[in-house]
Amino acid sequence: MHKGVFVLALVVFIPRAAEALDNGLALKPTMGWLHWERFMCNIDCDKDPNNCISEHLYMQMADVMVKEGWKEAGYEYVCIDDCWLSHQRDAKGRLQADPKRFPRGIKKLADYVHSKGLKLGIYADVGEQTCAGYPGSLNHYDTDAQTFADWGVDLLKFDGCYMDWKLLGEGYVNMSKALIKTGASILYSCEWPLYEWPFRQPNYTAIRETCHHWRNYQDVYDSWSSIKSILDWTSSHQDIIVPAAGPGGWNDPDMLVIGNFGLSHAQQESQMALWAIMAAPLLMSNDLRDICPRSKKLLQNRHIIAINQDPLGKQGYCTAKVNDFEVWERPLSGNRLAIAVLNRLEIGGPRDTFIKEVPGWKICSPLCNVTQILPLYKEMGVQNPESNLVVSVNPSGTALLTVIPVSGDFTGLHSLL
Ligand SMILES: *[C@@H]1O[C@H](CO)[C@@H](O)[C@H](O)[C@H]1NC(C)=O
Ligand SMILES: *[C@@H]1O[C@H](CO)[C@@H](O)[C@H](O)[C@H]1NC(C)=O
């Protein structure tokens, strides 16, 4: 018998609200670019060769993402949406890309994107057809999952058109299993709850076990009214959806439309700030080949991205709607808090609000360190619960702050006080 060797076995139970699809993917919200909102189903490459859905579009975006700092900022996935497919499956029943627009096929495109150190996303549909009428994956889940794995695809956006809503859950679960069975690391982006909400409240425990992120609400448009409707839907359903989010699974409020035509700069700042608070996937849909420097700077703002990607992985929520201000907060790692104050009054100029009137301000006890990230980066120093600190918010803009409580040992802080 061996003597003096003791092995202490610890069994640790970590309680979790819901089990995530546990394959090490999407531990932080996905970042990348997705063609839909900006390029839609533009398939006329004779008339519009530069903007049509073809392999060139994704190769050019991949090139720009590397050259212009997007990859370095964290944007990693180059994603194809609807309209890439041929209308016919091949002789072996496999999906195939439109041969005119993707002459080298998806595998070659994936190789190209990988050679740039980026990842490729693709699109398919749980039902009989995609939303734009291309072949759907119903009754072909195993074949299609294997095809995507063979091509080296890294993400699947799986839409929910042309599907009996009562079979949505089964279809999404079956595809999830088919993807896992391939052994490839394919991130799985679902639209299951979006298509189920009109009929009943979706089961977010099951969705989180199945998908890495999931769309809940309508497609984003390039307009402030669209952004507001997404925020309103989210705040009015936050008790149901916020607990479902965490490392491995995220609510997806749809693409960032920053850098397009419809939003003022203040509104672009609001989308960026609130998408960070919501722990949303940051999938830009814009033309990275031609984007205004101010939008680019906002999309690459490392302070906002750090809030979005915070390792605690808790989704934020709305805490107050008062005086045409909307206050959102997000708990961050290190006992920090992000606070967003959105000015919903669309008349007049910038309006001030006392930060001490914001619910989350109670975290500032006995002292805290405040940094404003939007509209301008500003270190606001050490504050106390009675501080008369004021933030100024532009109409339809957002002030974004981080608050770090300072407590315990005050030595070393005297110079700040
Ligand atoms: C899902 O898979 C189960 C088990 O193979 C099968 O019975 C069911 O019909 C499938 N549902 C759909 C929608 O594919
Ligand atoms: C929701 O899904 C979970 C996990 O699949 C399951 O255990 C639970 O019973 C479902 N809840 C309802 C109300 O159907």
Side-chain angles (χ1 to χ4, degrees), residues 23-34:
N23 59 0
L25 291 172
L27 297 179
K28 294 175 177 180
T30 307
M31 292 177 68
W33 179 91
L34 174 62

Side-chain angles (χ1 to χ4, degrees), residues 166-224:
K166 294 189 210 74
L167 295 178
L168 276 170
E170 256 182 57
Y172 275 101
V173 168
N174 287 1
M175 189 51 154
S176 179
K177 289 180 180 158
L179 290 170
I180 289 167
K181 209 169 72 190
T182 67
S185 282
I186 300 178
L187 203 146
Y188 187 36
S189 163
C190 299
E191 307 211 20
W192 170 3
L194 165 63
Y195 289 91
E196 193 162 314
W197 268 112
F199 305 99
R200 67 172 174 212
Q201 182 176 318
N203 180 341
Y204 280 91
T205 307
I207 290 165
R208 183 172 165 80
E209 285 171 0
T210 307
C211 308
H212 293 113
H213 35 87
W214 48 85
R215 285 275 310 284
N216 293 309
Y217 185 66
Q218 293 165 15
D219 286 7
V220 71
Y221 276 54
D222 186 13
S223 77
W224 180 232

Side-chain angles (χ1 to χ4, degrees), residues 279-345:
L282 299 180
L283 293 167
M284 306 176 283
S285 194
N286 48 17
D287 190 348
L288 298 175
R289 300 165 301 185
D290 177 20
I291 186 167
C292 116
R294 218 174 157 202
S295 299
K296 178 180 170 189
K297 206 169 156 206
L298 174 63
L299 285 162
Q300 294 189 359
N301 183 312
R302 64 190 170 89
H303 303 290
I304 310 175
I305 291 173
I307 292 174
N308 176 268
Q309 299 281 298
D310 184 78
L312 186 62
K314 274 201 187 303
Q315 179 173 344
Y317 37 81
C318 183
T319 58
K321 294 184 183 187
V322 60
N323 195 17
D324 287 307
F325 284 114
E326 215 170 277
V327 182
W328 293 65
E329 67 179 42
R330 177 174 175 188
L332 303 174
S333 57
N335 204 24
R336 295 168 307 139
L337 189 72
I339 295 178
V341 183
L342 168 62
N343 179 0
R344 297 254 334 222
L345 188 65

Side-chain angles (χ1 to χ4, degrees), residues 323 325 341 343 349-355 357 390-394:
N323 195 17
F325 284 114
V341 183
N343 179 0
R351 291 195 300 143
D352 290 351
T353 183
F354 282 113
I355 190 71
E357 287 169 5
V390 160
V391 292
S392 176
V393 198
N394 296 330

